[in-house]
Coordinates of all heavy atoms in Angstrom, one line a residue:
A1319 N 30.6 -59.9 -28.0 CA 29.5 -60.9 -28.0 C 29.7 -61.9 -26.8 O 28.8 -62.2 -26.1 CB 29.3 -61.6 -29.3
L1320 N 31.0 -62.4 -26.7 CA 31.3 -63.4 -25.7 C 31.0 -62.8 -24.3 O 30.4 -63.4 -23.4 CB 32.8 -63.8 -25.8 CG 33.1 -64.8 -26.8 CD1 34.6 -64.9 -27.0 CD2 32.6 -66.2 -26.4
L1321 N 31.5 -61.5 -24.1 CA 31.3 -60.9 -22.8 C 29.9 -60.8 -22.4 O 29.5 -60.8 -21.2 CB 32.0 -59.5 -22.8 CG 33.5 -59.5 -22.6 CD1 34.0 -58.1 -22.9 CD2 33.8 -60.0 -21.2
E1322 N 29.0 -60.6 -23.4 CA 27.6 -60.3 -23.1 C 26.9 -61.7 -23.0 O 25.7 -61.7 -22.7 CB 27.0 -59.5 -24.3 CG 25.9 -58.6 -23.9 CD 26.2 -57.5 -22.9 OE1 27.3 -56.9 -23.0 OE2 25.4 -57.3 -21.9
G1323 N 27.5 -62.8 -23.4 CA 26.8 -64.1 -23.4 C 25.9 -64.1 -24.6 O 24.9 -64.8 -24.6
A1324 N 26.2 -63.4 -25.7 CA 25.3 -63.3 -26.8 C 25.9 -64.0 -28.0 O 27.0 -64.5 -28.0 CB 25.1 -61.8 -27.2
D1325 N 25.1 -64.2 -29.1 CA 25.6 -64.9 -30.3 C 26.5 -64.0 -31.1 O 27.5 -64.5 -31.7 CB 24.4 -65.2 -31.2 CG 23.4 -66.2 -30.6 OD1 23.8 -67.0 -29.8 OD2 22.2 -66.1 -31.0
A1326 N 26.2 -62.7 -31.2 CA 26.9 -61.9 -32.1 C 26.9 -60.4 -31.7 O 26.1 -60.0 -30.9 CB 26.2 -62.0 -33.5
A1327 N 27.7 -59.6 -32.4 CA 27.8 -58.2 -32.1 C 28.2 -57.5 -33.4 O 28.9 -58.1 -34.2 CB 28.8 -57.9 -31.0
K1328 N 27.8 -56.3 -33.6 CA 28.3 -55.4 -34.7 C 28.9 -54.2 -34.1 O 28.3 -53.5 -33.2 CB 27.2 -55.1 -35.7 CG 26.8 -56.2 -36.5 CD 27.9 -56.9 -37.4 CE 28.3 -56.0 -38.5 NZ 29.4 -56.7 -39.3
A1329 N 30.1 -53.8 -34.5 CA 30.7 -52.6 -34.0 C 30.3 -51.3 -34.8 O 30.0 -51.5 -36.0 CB 32.2 -52.7 -34.1
T1330 N 30.3 -50.2 -34.2 CA 29.9 -49.0 -34.9 C 30.9 -47.9 -34.5 O 31.7 -48.0 -33.6 CB 28.5 -48.5 -34.5 OG1 28.5 -48.4 -33.1 CG2 27.4 -49.5 -35.0
A1331 N 30.9 -46.8 -35.3 CA 31.8 -45.7 -35.1 C 31.7 -44.9 -33.8 O 32.7 -44.4 -33.3 CB 31.7 -44.7 -36.3
T1332 N 30.5 -44.9 -33.3 CA 30.3 -44.2 -32.0 C 29.1 -44.9 -31.3 O 28.4 -45.8 -31.9 CB 29.8 -42.7 -32.2 OG1 28.5 -42.8 -32.8 CG2 30.8 -41.9 -33.0
G1333 N 28.9 -44.6 -30.0 CA 27.8 -45.1 -29.3 C 26.5 -44.7 -29.9 O 25.5 -45.5 -30.0
M1334 N 26.4 -43.4 -30.4 CA 25.1 -42.9 -31.0 C 24.8 -43.6 -32.3 O 23.7 -43.9 -32.6 CB 25.2 -41.4 -31.1 CG 24.9 -40.6 -29.9 SD 23.6 -41.4 -28.8 CE 22.1 -41.4 -29.8
A1335 N 25.9 -44.0 -33.0 CA 25.7 -44.8 -34.2 C 25.1 -46.1 -33.9 O 24.2 -46.7 -34.6 CB 27.0 -45.0 -35.0
A1336 N 25.5 -46.7 -32.7 CA 24.9 -48.0 -32.3 C 23.5 -47.9 -31.9 O 22.6 -48.7 -32.3 CB 25.7 -48.6 -31.1
V1337 N 23.2 -46.8 -31.2 CA 21.8 -46.6 -30.7 C 20.9 -46.4 -32.0 O 19.8 -47.0 -32.1 CB 21.7 -45.4 -29.8 CG1 20.2 -45.0 -29.6 CG2 22.4 -45.7 -28.5
T1338 N 21.3 -45.5 -32.9 CA 20.5 -45.1 -34.0 C 20.3 -46.4 -34.9 O 19.2 -46.6 -35.3 CB 21.2 -44.0 -34.9 OG1 21.6 -43.0 -34.0 CG2 20.4 -43.5 -36.0
A1339 N 21.4 -47.1 -35.2 CA 21.2 -48.3 -36.0 C 20.4 -49.4 -35.4 O 19.5 -50.0 -36.0 CB 22.6 -48.8 -36.4
A1340 N 20.5 -49.6 -34.1 CA 19.8 -50.6 -33.4 C 18.3 -50.3 -33.5 O 17.5 -51.2 -33.5 CB 20.2 -50.7 -31.9
L1341 N 17.9 -49.0 -33.5 CA 16.5 -48.7 -33.6 C 16.0 -48.7 -35.0 O 15.0 -49.3 -35.4 CB 16.2 -47.3 -32.9 CG 16.5 -47.3 -31.4 CD1 16.3 -45.9 -30.8 CD2 15.7 -48.3 -30.6
L1342 N 16.8 -47.9 -35.9 CA 16.3 -47.8 -37.3 C 16.3 -49.1 -38.0 O 15.4 -49.3 -38.9 CB 17.2 -46.8 -38.0 CG 17.0 -45.3 -37.7 CD1 17.9 -44.4 -38.6 CD2 15.5 -44.9 -38.0

Side-chain angles (χ1 to χ4, degrees):
L1320 278 169
L1321 279 172
E1322 208 66 42
D1325 295 332
K1328 287 302 288 179
T1330 54
T1332 65
M1334 280 322 300
V1337 170
T1338 308
L1341 297 178
L1342 282 182

